[in-house]
Amino acid sequence: MNKPLRPATRLLRAGRPHQGWVNTPVTRASTYVFDSVQAWRDTRARREEERLPSYGARGTDSTHALEDALVELEAGHRAKLYPTGQAAIATVLLAYLRTGDHVLVTDAVYEPVRRFCSEHLSRLGIDYTYYRPDGAGVAALIRPNTRMIYAESPGSLTYEMPDLPALAELARRHDCWLAVDNTWASGLLYNPLALGADISILAATKYLGGHADVMMGAAVTNARAWRALERATIDLGQTVGADDAFLVLRGMRSLPLRMAQHARSALRVADWLMGRPEVARVLCPALPGDPAHAIWKRDCRGANGLLTVEFSDRLGEADVERLIDGLRLFGIGASWGGFESLVLPVRLDTCRSLPDAMRRGVMARLHIGLEDPDDLIADLEQALTALSPVSRSL
Ligand SMILES: *Cc1c(COP(=O)(O)O)cnc(C)c1O
């Protein structure tokens, strides 16, 4: 009896040719030609159910290889690829929601999704309600026309985690889809589909690509949810180029190694930050004091490089901006999941709709990259020391 292969081994074997080249060659393609009209007709009849080459937008060997690896990672049925994570989210919302429907959206949703809701769901007559990112009180918000619960776990910037199996149970009882943005875990640390979700969404731009050199999104579904997504993806003309698919798949080969190092370094930096008088709190579900820690421990297999730092209320917004400007090894920029460290100021008042039970001070989000963590700590130390008039008063 062969033992089932462990996840890291399966990830290295997924999306590869059965023989010959180790990697699937890059197939840049639009037109696929057939031997006969009958062969062309036959492929068109079968291509919704089977994965056959028929036209570049519907997939090439390169995109199919990446889809296979993502299906392996997420333990799903099938996957579709999008030019960005945001495009994956927009397509998922449009695929399953119709005029007159209602969707429950986590209040810790990736911020650009909020405008998609207010501009586009509204315009289509689709109603939405934000629920608490830890899932508290969500059952009471279900309406007869609620068709989807949209979660992000852990949530953007503040990393709250809902009890996903409980959300899945609620969704099933009310005949709703459960869609989860799984970008934080990038498929490696958390499996929404195994916990009962129907659709898992990934910004492959982040850790899957892993090198800050490619944009991509993906959605992986269970069997029940597949057909609606496949059709909407084609109808909306969503596809990706072969070179980008190749880059993401190449990044995925080292995903477990990179993620483990990001997490190790992030936890070291978090420990150091928590010893500083300028820091009130560090948000990260892997830290024992974090509100999401118990669920993270139950449902996740590790952490990543993200930390959100809440500063002492003695530091104002201008101090924190000065601190950020003073950092030398942290780039000021969007996204995360590449090899490099990044920092951005965080303003929760512009990206949350519900009142927050916990008063929060000025914040910054750090992405801890693959640099030596001692260098990152030294950089943070010099930037904090440069704020010395404030620091000395603490
Ligand atoms: C970055 C991000 C996205 C969007 O990905 P893009 O490829 O930048 O469009 C979606 N969800 C989450 C949680 C993200 O962090």
Side-chain angles (χ1 to χ4, degrees):
M1 293 301 102
N2 284 341
K3 268 196 174 162
L5 295 173
R6 290 171 176 80
T9 310
R10 292 206 311 271
L11 180 62
L12 285 182
R13 295 168 63 86
R16 282 173 49 184
H18 295 300
Q19 55 183 28
W21 305 120
V22 168
N23 289 297
T24 302
V26 175
T27 306
R28 295 194 194 91
S30 58
T31 298
Y32 185 87
V33 292
F34 298 85
D35 287 344
S36 65
V37 173
Q38 189 48 47
W40 169 75
R41 203 164 270 139
D42 184 50
T43 291
R44 288 170 64 88
R46 289 162 52 205
R47 69 182 180 183
E48 276 209 6
E49 299 302 327
E50 299 171 53
R51 207 168 56 180
L52 302 166
S54 70
Y55 184 56
R58 289 186 176 240
T60 61
D61 292 350
S62 297
T63 58
H64 291 161
L66 175 56
E67 287 169 9
D68 286 346
L70 292 169
V71 166
E72 176 64 50
L73 192 64
E74 289 273 22
H77 171 66
R78 292 280 297 273
K80 272 286 180 194
L81 305 175
Y82 304 87
T84 62
Q86 176 74 7
I89 296 168
T91 306
V92 164
L93 292 172
L94 294 175
Y96 300 97
L97 298 169
R98 300 279 176 278
T99 299
D101 288 349
H102 172 245
V103 52
L104 287 166
V105 180
T106 173
D107 202 31
V109 72
Y110 173 64
E111 191 183 354
V113 178
R114 304 181 91 84
R115 199 171 76 195
F116 187 83
C117 293
S118 64
E119 292 279 322
H120 302 287
L121 293 188
S122 296
R123 177 169 59 79
L124 295 167
I126 297 163
D127 225 343
Y128 57 93
T129 309
Y130 290 108
Y131 64 88
R132 274 183 52 162
D134 62 4
V138 66
L141 301 173
I142 296 255
R143 303 178 191 169
N145 61 337
T146 305
R147 288 277 70 86
M148 179 185 275
I149 301 176
Y150 184 95
E152 187 178 317
S153 185
S156 278
L157 303 173
T158 40
Y159 318 113
E160 296 91 341
M161 292 187 75
D163 182 339
L164 206 66
L167 273 192
E169 172 55 31
L170 185 69
R172 244 190 319 276
R173 223 175 322 125
H174 294 274
D175 200 19
C176 294
W177 301 104
L178 176 59
V180 182
D181 185 330
N182 193 25
T183 300
W184 185 92
S186 289
L188 183 72
L189 309 173
Y190 184 63
N191 283 121
L193 299 178
L195 296 173
D198 300 294
I199 306 123
S200 180
I201 302 168
L202 297 158
T205 309
K206 308 278 168 61
Y207 286 114
L208 292 163
H211 295 75
D213 55 4
V214 62
M215 302 289 308
M216 193 166 303
V220 187
T221 77
N222 58 20
R224 185 171 87 91
W226 172 245
R227 196 175 171 80
L229 185 74
E230 137 102 338
R231 292 196 148 193
T233 302
I234 289 164
D235 296 343
L236 293 165
Q238 299 284 349
T239 190
V240 305
D243 297 280
D244 289 346
F246 176 87
L247 281 177
V248 172
L249 186 51
R250 172 166 147 150
M252 282 176 71
R253 302 302 182 200
S254 61
L255 177 66
L257 272 175
R258 287 185 286 108
M259 197 69 106
Q261 185 58 50
H262 282 291
R264 258 195 306 276
S265 294
L267 291 175
R268 271 209 52 205
V269 173
D271 261 351
W272 182 85
L273 283 168
M274 288 188 295
R276 292 288 305 201
E278 300 91 343
V279 172
R281 221 158 39 126
V282 178
L283 302 179
C284 167
L287 296 173
D290 194 275
H293 188 66
I295 289 188
W296 173 83
K297 215 165 157 177
R298 187 191 72 183
D299 292 344
C300 290
R301 290 180 296 275
N304 65 15
L306 289 175
L307 301 172
T308 297
V309 184
E310 181 185 348
F311 292 97
S312 146
D313 53 16
R314 307 280 285 278
L315 267 70
E317 222 168 304
D319 298 314
V320 172
E321 285 181 17
R322 216 147 46 81
L323 169 70
I324 290 174
D325 282 336
L327 289 167
R328 295 168 190 151
L329 296 178
F330 291 79
I332 301 169
S335 200
W336 37 266
F339 55 85
E340 77 290 11
S341 288
L342 295 169
V343 59
L344 276 182
V346 168
R347 301 241 353 222
L348 282 186
D349 50 339
T350 60
C351 59
R352 296 288 186 268
S353 299
L354 302 175
D356 194 332
M358 284 175 288
R359 235 348 288 136
R360 298 187 196 272
V362 185
M363 294 174 149
R365 185 189 66 201
L366 301 179
H367 177 249
I368 303 303
L370 299 177
E371 302 89 346
D372 189 312
D374 287 333
D375 287 333
L376 298 176
I377 288 170
D379 191 29
L380 287 160
E381 184 162 33
Q382 67 77 22
L384 282 166
T385 307
L387 290 180
S388 53
V390 187
S391 304
R392 264 201 305 276
S393 75
L394 289 167

